[in-house]
Amino acid sequence: MLAPLAQRHDPLASLNPEQLAAARHGDAPLLLIAGAGSGKTLTLAARVAQLVLDGADPQRLLLLSFSRRAAQALSHRAGQMLQQSLGLRAAPELPWAGTFHAIAARLLRQYAANIGLDQNFSIIDRSDAEDLMALQRQALGLAASAKRFPLKGTCLAIYSRCVNTQAPLAEVLRQHFPWCLDSQEPLQRLLRAYVAEKQAQATLDYDDLLLAWQQMLAEPTLAAHQAARFDHILVDEYQDTNRLQAAILQALRPHGRGLTVVGDDAQSIYAFRAAEVRNILDFELSFGPGVRRLTLERNYRSTQPILDASNALMASAGQGFAKRLWTDKAASERPRLVRLADEIDQARWVADTALARREQGIALKSQAVLMRTSHHSAALELELARRNIPFVKFGGLKFLAAAHIKDLLAVLRWGSNPCSRLAAFRVVQLLPGVGPAGARRVVDALHGAADAAAALQSLPAPPGARLEWQALVALIGGLQAGGTDWPAELGAVRAWYQPHLQRRHPDDHGLRAADLAALQTLAEGYASRERFLTGLTLDPPEASSDLAGPPLLDEDYLILSTIHSAKGQEWTAVSVLNVVDGCMPADLAAGSAAELDEERRLLYVAMTRARQHLDLLVPLRFHVSQQHRHGDRHLYGGLSRFVTPEVQALCEALSSAPAAVPVAMGDAPGLAQLDLGARLRGLWQ
Ligand code: ATP
Ligand code: MG
């Protein structure tokens, strides 16, 4: 409902002239490149609001970002601005806001009939994809070959690099996996088999979502049809896109008209997922002379001493657009460089500091502890638990990786997609007395059956599991028929699973059942089984807060986050754990110049999250769990090499311990038919 005009806010009122120019910019391709905290996301949101106020249809705006949190932050801000400027009671929906992967999944389902894709295709996460790769590796006899063949995780990483960089296998091996060069021919066979198997199972992995979207757009009529659905495409965190994503944008907006991208090359931290910082550096080349480039240099987030230290950090970096951030937020407090004896000391110091700051009126929620890798906070988590300091951790929790959660999801996935051998293989093994060999026989017998339940029914029940077999047939039959409402359906699956859970984990004391109950709560937020499965696979809950009910969310809690998950966020106080060589940069041995640059940018992202207080913590002795043959060990590290004397000179040195050192599209007329399967297979010939 519209409010009286007097209550409406101009979404552009608070913007500075440069931001205003970006928000009001017309149709020509726009590159907004600016440092951290300069209001890029805010400006993008304001631009969306202004476009809608000027008459754009929110249904025809495509808002893309790399991570789920970044996408949510953008659509949330834009929605709020629209709500305020239109005087609405609730923020309006922006239906096409999401990650590249989530939008790809939606479009692929809508155009499935045009591209020869089963509309019920399943999406599998990285761990399921590894399992599928392992099965192919085994089937081709590569696991047993005398020569050392790359492990399943490496094979998937190689596949992922090929897809995301659009580079041939040989080149990817030469550049990133030189120790696998000997295995090029069998790898080629394996990847071909992996692609064929996914097609047989109507299954796409993460990387396929982008690849299939890009392939779909390579067909001109389909590209034109999709391009015509959107008047504007706006991308946040553009520095984290890879070649495939750039190719998708190029296909949707060949001349860049209506395309806005926003980013900061200094914050590109996803090269390990094939992000291509050159995308942002070369944007003008890709979209021609019509591109308008705008920059923002004023920072609204941090104090000048925090910016000075961040600028000094980046002064030693390689390629990039030069920018110096400034603010009018003067402050006398400099970032602190805190030397501590070890991780235990570090944990105590963080807990003490968090409580002291809360006494000064800074809520725990406005304080974050950032780390390079999730397990760096193990000691801190113990300390916080011991002192009853509530916290929420982002970027660490592997909720979906738990076997019992995967079991339940596999049942749902099989019920939706009878071709999914992977799901069937897992589910059948839940029955008593059925192992991998027995499951394989069942799955082989089912192969190709469109009605999995009827096919199951015709098979002999495994010995000793007749009743359980009947129950499974009935369950899958029910799911296939789809007669039950969502999320009641999940309730039926849980009821079926309960005895199996008890049998398989007799000493569980209800913990797993509690996880399954949490899954049920989560399910209530989705309209259908398909949305639930897609949503959960693409945007897995990453923090326990995502799963907790409202009571916990009402309380105050400290934020723990990996730096990767902290993108785009800000807090009044930030502590960065383990600013030591060996953690930042992570791996001393394998650091190429490009990798070192990426590690430096990570520290830059961490430091620029802070509004007023920034602490860089340097424990002298710290624990690393290595994947290497040495196993876990303690390292004596020194201050991170990134904290150069120039950066140190801008920090206050502290030492805590004296000893311490340092739309249904299927029938749309005029569209060509594309055989997506053949196209994807063709890439591996
Ligand atoms: P990052 O690079 O970390 O993603 P960003 O450039 O996207 O940062 P924002 O998150 O949009 O920056 O803005 C940083 C902070 O500055 C936010 O709190 C935002 O509300 C505030 N801000 C941005 N522009 C202005 C402005 N013109 N006036 C007041 N506050 C502003
Ligand atoms: Mg941002």
Side-chain angles (χ1 to χ4, degrees):
M1 180 195 294
L2 288 184
L5 273 173
Q7 286 175 24
R8 300 196 195 173
H9 296 273
D10 174 3
L12 309 185
S14 66
L15 302 190
N16 68 33
E18 293 80 27
Q19 294 173 330
L20 206 56
R24 286 209 178 122
H25 177 73
D27 254 4
L30 173 64
L31 166 66
L32 179 60
I33 182 150
S38 56
K40 293 184 299 298
T41 305
L42 182 87
T43 304
L44 204 57
R47 178 161 168 74
V48 169
Q50 188 59 43
L51 285 169
V52 174
L53 288 180
D54 289 345
D57 178 354
Q59 301 268 358
R60 299 179 54 79
L61 299 180
L62 179 58
L63 271 68
L64 293 163
S65 193
F66 181 79
S67 73
R68 169 188 177 232
R69 267 173 116 190
Q72 277 178 339
L74 175 61
S75 64
H76 178 72
R77 281 201 202 177
Q80 263 186 340
M81 281 193 183
L82 270 174
Q83 180 185 1
Q84 286 172 359
S85 43
L86 291 171
L88 304 174
R89 276 190 207 288
E93 280 274 308
L94 290 162
W96 289 98
T99 62
F100 275 89
H101 290 85
I103 299 291
R106 264 175 80 184
L107 286 170
L108 285 168
R109 263 191 228 286
Q110 292 196 0
Y111 288 87
N114 292 91
I115 55 178
L117 186 66
D118 183 337
Q119 209 204 347
N120 294 319
F121 69 84
S122 306
I123 303 165
I124 52 172
D125 65 14
R126 288 197 197 271
S127 90
D128 280 341
E130 279 187 12
D131 290 349
L132 198 62
M133 187 68 88
L135 287 175
Q136 295 314 302
R137 198 169 162 274
Q138 228 164 22
L140 293 178
L142 297 170
S145 67
K147 253 180 47 193
R148 214 188 71 188
F149 191 77
L151 295 174
K152 60 178 183 179
T154 310
C155 297
L156 187 69
I158 292 172
Y159 173 79
S160 178
R161 271 236 169 234
C162 289
V163 169
N164 286 302
T165 55
Q166 302 266 277
L169 177 62
E171 192 184 318
V172 165
L173 293 182
R174 232 187 347 268
Q175 277 198 9
H176 299 282
F177 304 89
W179 65 95
C180 304
L181 266 169
D182 278 358
S183 311
Q184 184 176 335
E185 185 279 326
L187 263 170
Q188 179 92 26
R189 263 191 297 138
L190 173 65
L191 300 190
R192 211 179 289 148
Y194 174 65
V195 169
E197 185 58 27
K198 278 184 297 181
Q199 288 187 4
Q201 298 195 29
T203 293
L204 300 181
D205 66 24
Y206 282 149
D207 303 314
D208 293 337
L209 289 171
L210 295 185
L211 181 63
W213 189 9
Q214 183 243 6
Q215 287 294 316
M216 171 161 77
L217 292 173
E219 168 55 47
T221 56
L222 289 167
H225 196 266
Q226 280 172 47
R229 298 175 70 147
F230 303 112
D231 296 328
H232 284 270
I233 302 180
L234 305 104
V235 189
D236 197 5
E237 307 271 358
Y238 187 65
Q239 74 279 355
D240 287 323
T241 55
N242 61 33
R243 289 223 177 124
L244 212 44
Q245 287 157 322
I248 289 167
L249 292 178
Q250 189 107 43
L252 286 175
R253 282 287 172 280
H255 307 293
R257 192 141 288 281
L259 177 63
T260 304
V261 308
V262 161
D264 176 7
D265 50 306
Q267 293 185 64
S268 167
I269 54 172
Y270 277 97
F272 72 101
R273 295 246 180 92
E276 186 53 77
V277 70
R278 292 233 63 89
N279 281 353
I280 196 158
L281 300 176
D282 294 343
F283 185 80
E284 283 145 309
L285 285 178
S286 309
F287 291 96
V291 171
R292 172 136 186 236
R293 166 151 49 114
L294 293 173
T295 55
L296 309 170
E297 297 216 325
R298 175 167 179 181
N299 175 295
Y300 289 88
R301 178 180 293 148
S302 310
T303 62
Q304 192 62 49
I306 291 174
L307 293 181
D308 288 342
S310 309
N311 285 333
L313 174 78
M314 290 313 283
S316 48
Q319 62 182 1
F321 289 106
K323 4 180 185 8
R324 284 200 80 73
L325 299 171
W326 67 274
T327 177
D328 62 359
K329 284 188 197 164
S332 54
E333 182 183 315
R334 292 193 284 174
R336 298 190 294 185
L337 197 59
V338 188
R339 288 185 164 85
L340 300 140
D342 55 24
E343 284 179 291
I344 308 288
D345 229 28
Q346 173 174 260
R348 279 194 209 117
W349 196 90
V350 169
D352 286 346
T353 308
L355 291 179
R357 290 206 163 117
R358 194 179 58 168
E359 290 307 308
Q360 295 161 12
I362 305 174
L364 290 176
K365 266 186 191 175
S366 303
Q367 306 184 38
V369 183
L370 304 183
M371 68 211 83
R372 170 71 183 83
T373 337
S374 175
H375 65 76
H376 282 171
S377 63
L380 175 60
E381 288 173 44
L382 269 178
E383 182 68 16
L384 295 173
R386 199 176 64 76
R387 297 211 210 168
N388 264 333
I389 303 176
F391 66 92
V392 162
K393 184 168 171 182
F394 291 90
L397 194 85
K398 295 267 188 306
F399 180 69
L400 293 189
H404 49 291
I405 301 286
K406 292 187 81 156
D407 289 346
L408 228 65
L409 295 181
V411 177
L412 292 173
R413 202 170 276 144
W414 190 18
S416 296
N417 175 10
C419 304
S420 178
R421 287 163 63 87
L422 194 65
F425 187 63
R426 180 170 195 113
V427 174
V428 176
Q429 286 183 70
L430 296 175
L431 302 182
V434 183
R440 192 174 304 268
R441 274 195 300 277
V442 172
V443 169
D444 285 345
L446 289 178
H447 199 47
D451 183 346
L456 274 178
Q457 181 81 60
S458 67
L459 295 177
R466 210 173 44 80
L467 286 178
E468 289 85 351
W469 180 255
Q470 281 312 325
L472 177 63
V473 173
L475 180 73
I476 297 297
L479 287 173
Q480 267 181 202
T484 314
D485 287 343
W486 182 260
E489 235 173 12
L490 181 62
V493 177
R494 274 175 67 203
W496 170 84
Y497 183 60
Q498 190 59 31
H500 298 297
L501 180 71
Q502 276 166 357
R503 195 187 64 254
R504 295 163 70 84
H505 304 282
D507 51 357
D508 178 54
H509 306 303
L511 283 179
R512 288 181 175 83
D515 278 352
L516 299 179
L519 194 69
Q520 182 88 44
T521 312
L522 211 60
E524 281 156 19
Y526 293 85
S528 69
R529 189 201 315 166
E530 182 262 305
R531 292 220 177 156
F532 174 70
L533 283 174
T534 305
L536 222 57
T537 314
L538 292 182
D539 303 329
E542 53 176 353
S544 39
S545 71
D546 285 8
L547 298 171
L552 175 66
L553 291 177
D554 285 343
E555 288 173 23
D556 194 17
Y557 48 80
L558 185 65
I559 309 285
L560 271 55
S561 174
T562 60
I563 301 174
H564 282 102
S565 295
K567 279 303 274 296
Q569 315 268 313
E570 58 189 26
W571 294 276
T572 305
V574 167
S575 303
V576 188
L577 297 183
N578 293 341
V579 186
V580 291
D581 261 2
C583 287
M584 259 183 268
D587 196 342
L588 294 175
S592 68
E595 281 164 349
L596 275 180
D597 271 346
E598 171 138 337
E599 295 282 315
R600 185 185 292 103
R601 292 193 294 264
L602 260 174
L603 183 55
Y604 175 76
V605 169
M607 288 169 66
T608 52
R609 299 308 97 200
R611 287 198 196 107
Q612 285 172 26
H613 310 287
L614 172 64
D615 296 326
L616 304 178
L617 308 181
V618 190
L620 169 67
R621 188 169 175 269
F622 65 96
H623 180 256
V624 278
S625 47
Q626 297 276 18
Q627 308 88 330
H628 305 170
R629 60 199 133 89
H630 309 297
D632 287 9
R633 59 194 172 126
H634 283 94
L635 280 187
Y636 287 87
L639 175 62
S640 163
R641 67 188 65 188
F642 300 141
V643 186
T644 56
E646 290 76 26
V647 178
Q648 286 178 53
L650 296 164
C651 296
E652 182 189 344
L654 273 189
S655 185
S656 90
V661 180
V663 164
M665 285 297 111
D667 50 4
L671 297 185
Q673 284 290 323
L674 170 72
D675 184 348
L676 182 67
R679 224 177 237 199
L680 294 178
R681 282 193 303 277
L683 296 175
W684 298 96
Q685 293 315 314

